[in-house]
Amino acid sequence: MATIQHLGSSMKSLRSIDNLPSSKPVNILIVDDTLENIRLLSSILQKHGYKTRKAITGKMALTAVETDPPSLILLDIRMPDITGYEVCQNLKSNPKTFHIPIIFISAADDVNDKLEGFKAGGADYITKPFHIEEVLARVEHQLTIITAYQTINELNSRLEERVKKRTKQLEIANTKLSEMAFQDSLTKLPNRALLMKELCQAIERQTTNPDNKFAVLYLDCDRFKIINDSLGHLAGDELLIALSKRLKSILNSEDLLARLGGDEFIILLKKITDKFHVKSIIDKIFAGFQEPFILRDIEFFLSFSIGVVIDCSHYHEPEAILRHADIAMYKAKSQGKHQYKIFAQAMYDESCQHLQMETELRKGIPCSGLKLYYQTIIKLDTGKIVGVESLVRWFHPTLGQISPAELIAVAEETGLIIQIGGWILKQACYQLRSWQEQKIVDSSFYISVNVSAYQFSHSKFIQQLDEILAETQLSPECLKLEITETIIMDHSSFAATVIDKIRHRNIQLCIDDFGTGYSSLSYLHSFPVDNLKIDRSFINRLRTTPASFSMVQAMIQIAQNMGMNVIAEGIETPEQWEQLKLLNCHFGQGFLFSKPLEPEEMANLIVSSHSL
Ligand code: C2E
Ligand code: MG
Ligand code: MG
């Protein structure tokens, strides 16, 4: 039996025959009003395995097609009721039968008849009396065309299927990509790119309606480096995930929490009323972090330093907001951490100045704008000058005179303190050596040099000290180093080793500004320090606050019991001098005796004091 795998007659009709079962026997409808023709065609076609049906009028043909659409139609043209052309036009105008190929079989052999047949939608034309071979060949030809169309059709739908699948995969990949582009991979929080977008939108909203106020919080985790350094980065990552979840739970769902990287987070409060509103959220954050985190059975307390930009009305660029929030955060950090600061213009000016100083310092090495001044240290009962303290000054061509505290802070931040501190130490040693050589001072006269915490804890400090003493040939007994109590408290075991080395070299140590840090007189036992400078703030209040008086008295007594020399700082009035003498304080320093002076002036002062 003849079968076709695929049926169809034109590209347009492909869809409608999609569902024809394959291996269906070919079903040919023969339409002719001459029974003889029908019989002949039918028997030949059947012999060749085709299934045939018959219709002897046009109308019958239309009914037969409607009942069961054939695979192909052999159609006579001249018939009593309606012509073959009309049957053909009818079927071709119907979407359900459009695809069925029609071969006209007619005695009319005129070219025009044939043209008419093709115009009506016929696929082929056979002239009567027909040759069997021709009929078979033309039938097969039509069936081959159908098969070809069907193949194309199938390929097409397979292709379409594949395209659909690929499109879906692409869509998924795209969604993933855009998630990755806007998401921090560790915490799954929005990243900087998304934050920038959201900030732009917030700026726009406020520009169109000033009531749409928003605020930005820049959070930096305090001491996170310690966790990373001690427990490793994996644990650090775990903690970052946990803390980002806790932060998120504190915020409203419409606010944005983004991670900038490391331990830095940004909160965009999209709708705020006033600064009290913002403050209440910050309070919630601080309160939320009072509970510890537990990681590998260890408890961790985490805190944040937060910089805040509340008034965002004049910002056009998100970067500027972040920069300012960062400056405020930095301020919070530098003022003791675990607190927040609201950005103010003065902070910006200060940070610009710091930057300028930093640049100048880097350019200015070795310390071109720096100069050492000296202030006398007095034996209080006799008024004799026993030594001087060196105090650095920086005269900046545009910024003017910069306070040593500021200079040292910037030098510490940039790491330049080692060079600058070294320069100061060398300069001071040379100075005393020069006064010794000029016989302005005798060998008991000493110079006291301030050493910053960073410089003191640097691994090269002792080496630097040795080199300077060797170069300047100053006797170590004439040198005192002033350190702050925080050095001892912060790096106790390391500090102890350095202190040992210093004392081993017969250099004296002096605790400066005593009483301003974590002072505890009791811990002084564990650190063999020879001198203690009582901070100016206590001397200031000696007369006015009885508590200060008792405190100073206690400090002097305890220190002296431990065999330490006590030096009172910031003596400005004869009364203070008198009181300190009464308290049996041996040494002092202050504007009453001399302000910090340039070396030449100091030399004159020392010389003139000899004649007193
Ligand atoms: P300090 O070491 O406690 O120095 C004493 C400070 O008190 C000096 O301020 C001095 O000018 C000031 N002073 C002295 N007597 C009086 C007084 O009677 N009344 C008042 N109101 N002030 C008085 P200065 O020079 O501004 O230095 C401030 C701080 O900067 C120093 O405090 C010291 O901690 C640091 N510093 C200064 N020079 C250096 C240095 O060469 N290296 C390091 N690392 N730090 C330095
Ligand atoms: Mg000092
Ligand atoms: Mg001091």
Side-chain angles (χ1 to χ4, degrees):
M1 179 176 286
T3 60
I4 52 170
Q5 301 295 317
H6 316 283
L7 293 175
S9 72
S10 77
M11 288 299 277
K12 269 192 197 163
S13 64
L14 290 178
R15 303 255 152 265
S16 54
I17 56 169
D18 266 357
N19 299 324
L20 277 182
S22 58
S23 306
K24 183 180 173 185
V26 177
N27 172 351
I28 299 174
L29 175 66
I30 306 163
V31 188
D32 204 317
D33 56 342
T34 315
L35 281 172
E36 191 52 37
N37 283 345
I38 290 185
R39 237 179 265 129
L40 181 60
L41 280 169
S42 177
S43 81
I44 294 162
L45 289 170
Q46 282 178 7
K47 236 186 249 162
H48 283 84
Y50 299 108
K51 207 177 144 194
T52 57
R53 285 156 61 214
K54 300 130 201 160
I56 51 171
T57 65
K59 277 186 185 160
M60 273 176 73
L62 289 174
T63 315
V65 173
E66 207 184 327
T67 330
D68 179 16
S71 317
L72 189 134
I73 303 172
L74 293 174
L75 181 59
D76 187 17
I77 292 174
R78 307 223 191 285
M79 288 182 291
D81 52 353
I82 48 174
T83 65
Y85 296 140
E86 285 168 299
V87 173
C88 185
Q89 274 163 353
N90 188 313
L91 294 175
K92 291 295 162 188
S93 64
N94 181 348
K96 282 188 191 154
T97 54
F98 174 84
H99 62 279
I100 304 170
I102 295 171
I103 302 174
F104 285 110
I105 299 193
S106 174
D109 193 19
D110 191 77
V111 174
N112 285 333
D113 290 323
K114 291 183 184 169
L115 280 177
E116 192 68 20
F118 287 116
K119 259 191 226 160
D124 208 348
Y125 200 102
I126 299 169
T127 319
K128 287 184 196 167
F130 48 75
H131 294 278
I132 297 306
E133 285 73 20
E134 188 189 352
V135 173
L136 285 170
R138 287 191 189 275
V139 164
E140 261 161 38
H141 177 64
Q142 282 312 312
L143 294 176
T144 310
I145 291 172
I146 294 173
T147 310
Y149 275 130
Q150 183 66 22
T151 309
I152 291 170
N153 188 33
E154 219 166 63
L155 286 175
N156 240 2
S157 54
R158 256 190 262 158
L159 198 68
E160 260 175 37
E161 205 49 46
R162 221 182 274 180
V163 169
K164 256 193 224 158
K165 207 165 137 190
R166 280 285 145 82
T167 312
K168 186 100 203 137
Q169 284 171 343
L170 268 177
E171 274 170 13
I172 294 171
N174 270 345
T175 325
K176 254 207 183 126
L177 262 180
S178 62
E179 268 174 18
M180 274 162 64
F182 290 116
Q183 198 181 59
D184 168 53
S185 56
L186 178 70
T187 57
K188 307 290 176 240
L189 290 177
N191 63 5
R192 180 188 283 270
L194 184 53
L195 170 73
M196 287 308 193
K197 256 173 96 171
E198 294 269 351
L199 277 175
C200 282
Q201 287 166 7
I203 293 173
E204 235 175 81
R205 279 196 299 272
Q206 187 163 21
T207 313
T208 37
N209 179 359
D211 286 343
N212 289 331
K213 289 186 202 153
F214 66 97
V216 173
L217 274 54
Y218 197 121
L219 290 83
D220 187 286
C221 203
D222 298 326
R223 298 163 38 253
F224 200 81
K225 192 176 173 305
I226 298 176
I227 290 165
N228 266 344
D229 289 350
S230 54
L231 293 180
H233 284 264
L234 272 181
D237 283 355
E238 270 180 58
L239 210 53
L240 280 173
I241 294 170
L243 82 86
S244 62
K245 280 186 185 151
R246 188 174 298 180
L247 269 179
K248 209 158 169 46
S249 71
I250 295 169
L251 299 173
N252 287 331
S253 55
E254 67 266 22
D255 294 327
L256 183 92
L257 170 66
R259 179 173 175 234
L260 279 195
D263 56 355
E264 292 184 343
F265 295 84
I266 299 288
I267 295 172
L268 166 60
L269 300 172
K270 290 190 184 167
K271 191 111 182 101
I272 59 156
T273 46
D274 51 23
K275 72 172 178 194
F276 301 106
H277 179 190
V278 177
K279 192 177 171 314
S280 73
I281 294 168
I282 295 173
D283 287 344
K284 269 202 226 164
I285 295 174
F286 284 142
F289 278 76
Q290 271 171 4
E291 282 291 301
F293 288 86
I294 296 170
L295 187 67
R296 293 160 199 188
D297 292 332
I298 309 174
E299 277 194 348
F300 293 95
F301 285 93
L302 293 179
S303 68
F304 287 105
S305 298
I306 305 178
V308 190
V309 176
I310 289 189
D311 180 9
C312 296
S313 56
H314 53 281
Y315 288 97
H316 304 290
E317 304 288 336
E319 289 84 1
I321 303 181
L322 287 189
R323 225 175 18 247
H324 289 177
D326 186 16
I327 290 172
M329 183 279 291
Y330 191 77
K331 191 85 193 162
K333 196 143 274 216
S334 66
Q335 291 195 352
K337 307 182 176 126
H338 194 199
Q339 55 182 302
Y340 75 94
K341 287 277 169 226
I342 296 172
F343 175 76
Q345 187 58 35
M347 290 182 192
Y348 176 74
D349 299 341
E350 193 184 306
S351 78
C352 285
Q353 190 169 323
H354 261 222
L355 191 69
Q356 195 182 345
M357 286 198 293
E358 195 182 309
T359 319
E360 301 284 340
L361 269 186
R362 284 186 195 280
K363 282 196 308 201
I365 297 288
C367 315
S368 57
L370 304 186
K371 195 160 183 186
L372 287 194
Y373 273 47
Y374 299 91
Q375 189 182 30
T376 51
I377 298 168
I378 305 292
K379 188 154 188 300
L380 289 180
D381 56 355
T382 60
K384 190 180 171 230
I385 305 173
V386 291
V388 287
E389 176 181 6
S390 68
L391 294 160
V392 70
R393 295 289 175 265
W394 187 17
F395 299 97
H396 188 275
T398 54
L399 299 172
Q401 185 172 328
I402 289 154
S403 80
E406 240 179 305
L407 163 69
I408 299 302
V410 176
E412 285 196 333
E413 272 165 34
T414 50
L416 289 169
I417 189 68
I418 306 303
Q419 281 155 286
I420 292 175
W423 180 86
I424 290 169
L425 193 59
K426 195 191 285 183
Q427 199 69 14
C429 292
Y430 264 128
Q431 187 57 68
L432 183 55
R433 189 81 192 98
S434 144
W435 285 336
Q436 285 174 346
E437 278 167 0
Q438 293 172 59
K439 308 259 184 284
I440 292 173
V441 299
D442 62 21
S443 60
S444 69
F445 194 96
Y446 68 85
I447 192 155
S448 209
V449 182
N450 293 288
V451 174
S452 100
Y454 192 100
Q455 187 185 1
F456 186 86
S457 21
H458 197 276
S459 56
K460 291 259 163 68
F461 178 59
I462 294 292
Q463 186 191 333
Q464 191 181 47
L465 192 61
D466 287 342
E467 283 169 7
I468 289 170
L469 285 174
E471 184 183 325
T472 60
Q473 291 293 301
L474 183 74
S475 159
E477 289 85 3
C478 302
L479 179 63
K480 288 189 185 182
L481 298 178
E482 296 192 11
I483 56 174
T484 55
E485 39 192 340
T486 45
I487 292 182
I488 295 174
M489 295 306 285
D490 284 357
H491 315 275
S492 49
S493 69
F494 178 73
T497 333
V498 180
I499 287 172
D500 247 24
K501 286 184 181 166
I502 290 171
R503 284 175 57 88
H504 204 71
R505 284 159 173 76
N506 285 329
I507 298 168
Q508 288 200 17
L509 275 164
C510 176
I511 294 188
D512 202 356
D513 305 337
F514 188 76
T516 54
Y518 312 89
S519 330
S520 147
L521 280 166
S522 56
Y523 78 73
L524 288 178
H525 277 297
S526 33
F527 293 99
V529 177
D530 320 271
N531 304 277
L532 187 82
K533 275 190 163 182
I534 299 176
D535 191 66
R536 180 169 93 225
S537 52
F538 294 95
I539 310 303
N540 246 337
R541 298 193 300 256
L542 259 184
R543 258 176 78 88
T544 47
T545 339
S548 278
F549 188 87
S550 325
M551 186 98 87
V552 172
Q553 189 173 30
M555 284 182 197
I556 293 171
Q557 273 174 7
I558 296 172
Q560 283 176 351
N561 284 346
M562 283 192 243
M564 298 169 92
N565 290 318
V566 178
I567 302 134
E569 288 189 291
I571 306 172
E572 292 183 350
T573 64
E575 290 79 28
Q576 289 167 347
W577 185 9
E578 276 314 308
Q579 272 179 315
L580 285 160
K581 275 197 281 187
L582 283 176
L583 288 171
N584 201 24
C585 180
H586 295 157
F587 300 97
Q589 189 179 346
F591 291 171
L592 178 67
F593 309 108
S594 97
K595 291 207 165 186
L597 299 173
E598 289 193 52
E600 302 74 31
E601 289 176 306
M602 180 50 75
N604 291 336
L605 181 70
I606 299 169
V607 171
S608 60
S609 74
H610 291 158
S611 52
L612 291 175

